[in-house]
């Protein structure tokens, strides 16, 4: 079942939306984190996209290459510093982060949101019903994984925009 859904155009569009986002920080709302990670793993393995996942037990692991682990990345602050200092393109999915995110980490998140580099790095917080710190308001894009509903369009200066 996971493989069939992993190849769905909806998940591919979600990945493309993450990559095309002008923001480096994103908040991905999903009710089934495990299923979404399984689908992202299949996309990473088949498409060659560098997608990593962080969780408090394992730190940063590659979804594309099993067994590829970033040592010393179990603490969220260390993982954020790794993302900030990385010189390669990558999508970093952070799960189970809410109780580990401290006020001091918002400084690193603000630096990540203002990165001006040629290689795009995207840090995506994945979960359901979570809130990011107020200090980050306007620095991240919120995305719903159940993209079946059409975005509400607004008329601005004679153009329809999301």
């Amino acid at each position: 079942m996971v493989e069939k859904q992993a190849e769905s155009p909806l998940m591919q569009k979600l990945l493309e939306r993450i990559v095309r986002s002008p923001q480096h920080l994103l908040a991905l709302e999903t009710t089934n984190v495990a299923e979404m990670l399984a689908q992202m793993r299949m996309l990473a393995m088949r498409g060659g996209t560098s997608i990593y996942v962080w969780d408090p037990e394992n730190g940063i692991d590659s979804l594309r290459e099993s067994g590829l682990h970033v040592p010393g990345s179990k603490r969220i602050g260390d993982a954020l510093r790794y993302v900030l200092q990385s010189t390669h393109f990558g999508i970093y999915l952070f799960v189970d982060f809410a109780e580990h995110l401290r006020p001091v980490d918002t400084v690193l998140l603000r630096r990540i949101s203002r990165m001006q580099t040629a290689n795009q790095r995207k840090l995506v917080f994945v979960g359901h019903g979570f809130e990011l710190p107020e200090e980050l308001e306007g620095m991240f894009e919120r995305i719903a994984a159940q993209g079946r509903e059409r975005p509400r369009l607004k008329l601005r200066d004679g153009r329809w925009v999301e």
Side-chain angles (χ1 to χ4, degrees):
M1 180 170 146
V2 171
E3 284 187 36
K4 186 182 270 186
Q5 290 180 355
E7 297 179 42
S8 74
L10 185 63
M11 187 53 67
Q12 184 66 39
K13 286 180 183 179
L14 177 65
L15 183 62
E16 289 172 8
R17 184 170 175 192
I18 290 171
V19 171
R20 284 194 327 255
S21 173
Q23 302 285 1
H24 294 286
L25 297 177
L26 295 102
L28 178 59
E29 291 276 342
T30 181
T31 55
N32 193 341
V33 174
E35 180 70 22
M36 199 277 310
L37 288 177
Q39 292 178 16
M40 285 291 189
R41 180 180 306 277
M42 295 304 290
L43 284 175
M45 290 170 56
R46 292 201 174 125
T49 306
S50 296
I51 304 176
Y52 304 90
V53 64
W54 178 89
D55 66 64
E57 290 87 35
N58 302 312
I60 298 176
D61 284 322
S62 174
L63 289 181
R64 185 177 65 180
E65 301 170 28
S66 63
L68 183 62
H69 173 73
V70 177
S73 63
K74 284 188 179 183
R75 293 187 311 184
I76 196 165
D78 295 335
L80 293 174
R81 276 189 275 292
Y82 176 82
V83 171
L84 191 60
Q85 295 170 358
S86 175
T87 58
H88 303 288
F89 167 83
I91 297 171
Y92 298 87
L93 307 172
F94 278 60
V95 298
D96 298 330
F97 62 90
E99 61 189 44
H100 300 280
L101 198 57
R102 305 281 180 250
V104 73
D105 297 325
T106 58
V107 173
L108 293 169
L109 290 171
R110 294 179 102 186
R111 288 181 60 199
I112 291 170
S113 75
R114 293 189 302 252
M115 286 189 301
Q116 298 293 325
T117 60
N119 59 339
Q120 293 285 320
R121 284 163 281 168
K122 304 293 183 180
L123 194 148
V124 184
F125 291 103
V126 181
H128 177 67
F130 63 88
E131 289 297 320
L132 292 176
E134 288 180 22
E135 297 88 2
L136 299 175
E137 198 61 42
M139 296 183 177
F140 66 91
E141 179 180 349
R142 193 170 291 275
I143 300 174
Q146 288 74 8
R148 300 199 189 283
E149 60 191 54
R150 299 190 70 97
R152 292 190 62 169
L153 298 176
K154 300 173 192 163
L155 187 59
R156 295 240 170 102
D157 297 326
R159 295 184 348 205
W160 290 100
V161 295
E162 284 186 33

